Amino acid sequence: MNKYIKFVIAAIMIGLGIYLMFNRNIGWGVVLVILSAFPIFLFFKNENILLAFWQLRKQNFDKANKFLGNIKNFETELHNNQYGYYHYLIGLTTAQENNPAKTEALMKKALDYGLNMKHDRAMATLNLAAGAMAKGRRQDAQKLLEEAKRLDSAGIMTDQIKMMKEQMKMPSMQKHMHNPNMRIRGKF
């Protein structure tokens, strides 16, 4: 649903409420005026994003992805401050599908559009660090982990950050390094 249709619905509800108040149905008029706040609230907080957050909280990624799929064109359906959260939620759902390239691109978009909460920015930065580590860019991953640690003021993701730092300490198999005994052929 286009975001401006919600304002039209709210205006119709307010007009109908005022009409009812003038026709001696004051109670129903007040109820309609109060209920008109609901479409105005949904203008600033899209219902599909709210439902996707709810499903992610319950660890139900398939339903969250379904609710995000209901948003066909995010620029016409969402308010400007929700663009980042739209990409952030899609990035979280694709992270469960083990698609690091797509997740990294979505998290970069989410950070570019802007996320309001510090822990959301920390989670997006942590996902970017994981993508950088998967591609073998250790210095970028180290910088992103430090930024995630700085953003995580509540200490929610300290275990994940510590685990990723431990993984960075482990030696990684480079593309040019091979097993030295691989070329030696034994007698069969």
Side-chain angles (χ1 to χ4, degrees):
M1 179 188 307
N2 194 322
K3 59 186 171 185
Y4 296 112
I5 292 175
K6 296 172 186 173
F7 274 138
V8 172
I9 292 171
I12 290 171
M13 289 175 76
I14 290 172
L16 188 60
I18 291 172
Y19 173 77
L20 286 174
M21 284 185 214
F22 281 123
N23 287 332
R24 298 190 183 252
N25 288 324
I26 296 173
W28 287 111
V30 170
V31 167
L32 268 179
V33 170
I34 291 172
L35 286 178
S36 69
F38 191 66
I40 294 172
F41 170 73
L42 289 178
F43 174 79
F44 295 106
K45 303 288 182 192
N46 189 283
E47 63 274 4
N48 289 313
I49 287 184
L50 292 174
L51 290 170
F53 265 121
W54 178 257
Q55 293 300 324
L56 281 177
R57 189 172 183 182
K58 294 180 359 180
Q59 299 292 320
N60 194 345
F61 293 98
D62 294 332
K63 282 190 178 179
N65 207 3
K66 185 187 93 170
F67 285 123
L68 290 171
N70 290 340
I71 300 173
K72 302 296 182 219
N73 186 0
F74 71 93
E75 292 173 340
T76 59
E77 293 185 31
L78 301 177
H79 194 261
N80 295 344
N81 62 2
Q82 289 184 324
Y83 293 172
Y85 279 101
Y86 173 71
H87 292 293
Y88 173 70
L89 289 172
I90 291 179
L92 286 178
T93 56
T94 57
Q96 299 300 316
E97 299 168 2
N98 292 331
N99 193 350
K102 190 173 180 183
T103 301
E104 188 175 1
L106 287 167
M107 290 298 176
K108 280 183 183 177
K109 275 187 183 180
L111 287 173
D112 288 342
Y113 282 125
L115 298 171
N116 295 336
M117 307 292 254
K118 270 188 164 182
H119 62 271
D120 292 335
R121 287 190 302 246
M123 177 63 89
T125 308
L126 190 66
N127 279 318
L128 285 175
M133 247 174 61
K135 290 182 179 177
R137 300 184 321 229
R138 286 178 165 242
Q139 291 176 343
D140 292 342
Q142 183 66 34
K143 288 177 189 174
L144 289 167
L145 279 175
E146 292 301 320
E147 185 179 347
K149 186 176 182 180
R150 182 182 53 81
L151 288 171
D152 186 27
S153 58
I156 298 172
M157 289 173 261
T158 53
D159 293 337
Q160 288 91 347
I161 293 172
K162 188 186 295 184
M163 182 179 66
M164 287 190 68
K165 283 186 178 182
E166 290 295 322
Q167 286 178 354
M168 285 184 67
K169 290 179 185 175
M170 298 168 83
S172 64
M173 189 69 155
Q174 305 273 329
K175 289 182 180 176
H176 64 278
M177 294 176 67
H178 298 287
N179 185 354
N181 298 322
M182 189 170 81
R183 300 281 178 196
I184 301 172
R185 297 188 188 240
K187 296 178 184 176
F188 295 105

